[in-house]
mmCIF file of all heavy atoms in Angstrom:
data_model
loop_
_atom_site.group_PDB
_atom_site.id
_atom_site.type_symbol
_atom_site.label_atom_id
_atom_site.label_comp_id
_atom_site.label_asym_id
_atom_site.label_seq_id
_atom_site.Cartn_x
_atom_site.Cartn_y
_atom_site.Cartn_z
ATOM 1 N N HIS A 27 112.537 73.330 119.864
ATOM 2 C CA HIS A 27 111.294 74.037 119.592
ATOM 3 C C HIS A 27 111.150 74.390 118.120
ATOM 4 O O HIS A 27 110.110 74.850 117.703
ATOM 5 C CB HIS A 27 111.225 75.344 120.403
ATOM 6 C CG HIS A 27 110.708 75.155 121.774
ATOM 7 N ND1 HIS A 27 109.377 75.054 122.061
ATOM 8 C CD2 HIS A 27 111.340 75.036 122.956
ATOM 9 C CE1 HIS A 27 109.211 74.893 123.350
ATOM 10 N NE2 HIS A 27 110.383 74.874 123.914
ATOM 11 N N PHE A 28 112.189 74.187 117.342
ATOM 12 C CA PHE A 28 112.185 74.649 115.965
ATOM 13 C C PHE A 28 111.598 73.592 115.035
ATOM 14 O O PHE A 28 112.008 72.451 115.028
ATOM 15 C CB PHE A 28 113.603 75.008 115.512
ATOM 16 C CG PHE A 28 113.627 75.626 114.155
ATOM 17 C CD1 PHE A 28 113.239 76.942 113.983
ATOM 18 C CD2 PHE A 28 113.996 74.893 113.050
ATOM 19 C CE1 PHE A 28 113.234 77.518 112.729
ATOM 20 C CE2 PHE A 28 113.995 75.457 111.800
ATOM 21 C CZ PHE A 28 113.619 76.775 111.630
ATOM 22 N N ASP A 29 110.625 74.014 114.266
ATOM 23 C CA ASP A 29 110.017 73.165 113.243
ATOM 24 C C ASP A 29 110.098 73.935 111.936
ATOM 25 O O ASP A 29 109.478 74.981 111.791
ATOM 26 C CB ASP A 29 108.555 72.875 113.608
ATOM 27 C CG ASP A 29 107.850 72.002 112.587
ATOM 28 O OD1 ASP A 29 108.361 71.843 111.458
ATOM 29 O OD2 ASP A 29 106.772 71.479 112.912
ATOM 30 N N GLU A 32 106.859 75.094 110.317
ATOM 31 C CA GLU A 32 106.075 76.104 111.026
ATOM 32 C C GLU A 32 107.039 77.057 111.734
ATOM 33 O O GLU A 32 107.077 77.139 112.961
ATOM 34 C CB GLU A 32 105.126 75.443 112.026
ATOM 35 C CG GLU A 32 104.099 74.549 111.377
ATOM 36 C CD GLU A 32 103.143 73.903 112.375
ATOM 37 O OE1 GLU A 32 103.490 73.803 113.573
ATOM 38 O OE2 GLU A 32 102.066 73.503 111.952
ATOM 39 N N ILE A 33 107.795 77.782 110.961
ATOM 40 C CA ILE A 33 108.873 78.607 111.498
ATOM 41 C C ILE A 33 108.361 79.667 112.473
ATOM 42 O O ILE A 33 108.922 79.843 113.553
ATOM 43 C CB ILE A 33 109.685 79.241 110.353
ATOM 44 C CG1 ILE A 33 110.400 78.133 109.577
ATOM 45 C CG2 ILE A 33 110.682 80.258 110.880
ATOM 46 C CD1 ILE A 33 111.057 78.583 108.308
ATOM 47 N N MET A 34 107.315 80.382 112.117
ATOM 48 C CA MET A 34 106.828 81.455 112.986
ATOM 49 C C MET A 34 106.195 80.910 114.263
ATOM 50 O O MET A 34 106.352 81.486 115.334
ATOM 51 C CB MET A 34 105.847 82.362 112.248
ATOM 52 C CG MET A 34 106.501 83.213 111.165
ATOM 53 S SD MET A 34 107.752 84.360 111.798
ATOM 54 C CE MET A 34 109.277 83.519 111.436
ATOM 55 N N GLN A 35 105.506 79.783 114.170
ATOM 56 C CA GLN A 35 104.962 79.166 115.377
ATOM 57 C C GLN A 35 106.111 78.725 116.298
ATOM 58 O O GLN A 35 106.051 78.920 117.513
ATOM 59 C CB GLN A 35 104.071 77.952 115.030
ATOM 60 C CG GLN A 35 102.789 78.312 114.326
ATOM 61 C CD GLN A 35 102.905 78.317 112.803
ATOM 62 O OE1 GLN A 35 103.963 78.571 112.240
ATOM 63 N NE2 GLN A 35 101.792 78.046 112.125
ATOM 64 N N SER A 36 107.158 78.166 115.701
ATOM 65 C CA SER A 36 108.322 77.750 116.481
ATOM 66 C C SER A 36 109.001 78.950 117.124
ATOM 67 O O SER A 36 109.456 78.878 118.270
ATOM 68 C CB SER A 36 109.325 77.009 115.592
ATOM 69 O OG SER A 36 108.786 75.803 115.130
ATOM 70 N N TYR A 37 109.069 80.045 116.378
ATOM 71 C CA TYR A 37 109.702 81.261 116.895
ATOM 72 C C TYR A 37 108.988 81.735 118.159
ATOM 73 O O TYR A 37 109.614 81.966 119.187
ATOM 74 C CB TYR A 37 109.669 82.350 115.814
ATOM 75 C CG TYR A 37 110.119 83.718 116.275
ATOM 76 C CD1 TYR A 37 111.468 84.001 116.432
ATOM 77 C CD2 TYR A 37 109.198 84.718 116.545
ATOM 78 C CE1 TYR A 37 111.887 85.256 116.848
ATOM 79 C CE2 TYR A 37 109.607 85.971 116.956
ATOM 80 C CZ TYR A 37 110.953 86.239 117.113
ATOM 81 O OH TYR A 37 111.354 87.475 117.525
ATOM 82 N N ARG A 38 107.678 81.860 118.080
ATOM 83 C CA ARG A 38 106.960 82.392 119.248
ATOM 84 C C ARG A 38 106.942 81.387 120.399
ATOM 85 O O ARG A 38 107.017 81.782 121.556
ATOM 86 C CB ARG A 38 105.564 82.864 118.874
ATOM 87 C CG ARG A 38 104.588 81.806 118.487
ATOM 88 C CD ARG A 38 103.210 82.418 118.219
ATOM 89 N NE ARG A 38 102.248 81.423 117.893
ATOM 90 C CZ ARG A 38 101.656 81.311 116.713
ATOM 91 N NH1 ARG A 38 101.916 82.167 115.747
ATOM 92 N NH2 ARG A 38 100.768 80.362 116.509
ATOM 93 N N GLN A 39 106.868 80.099 120.107
ATOM 94 C CA GLN A 39 106.889 79.107 121.177
ATOM 95 C C GLN A 39 108.241 79.108 121.893
ATOM 96 O O GLN A 39 108.298 78.994 123.126
ATOM 97 C CB GLN A 39 106.565 77.720 120.623
ATOM 98 C CG GLN A 39 105.111 77.592 120.198
ATOM 99 C CD GLN A 39 104.835 76.379 119.327
ATOM 100 O OE1 GLN A 39 105.697 75.530 119.111
ATOM 101 N NE2 GLN A 39 103.610 76.294 118.816
ATOM 102 N N SER A 40 109.306 79.282 121.139
ATOM 103 C CA SER A 40 110.634 79.375 121.748
ATOM 104 C C SER A 40 110.743 80.636 122.593
ATOM 105 O O SER A 40 111.319 80.626 123.685
ATOM 106 C CB SER A 40 111.715 79.381 120.664
ATOM 107 O OG SER A 40 111.693 78.168 119.959
#
Side-chain angles (χ1 to χ4, degrees):
H27 275 279
F28 186 76
D29 180 345
E32 297 181 338
I33 294 171
M34 291 298 100
Q35 292 91 331
S36 294
Y37 172 77
R38 68 177 182 246
Q39 290 165 7
S40 297

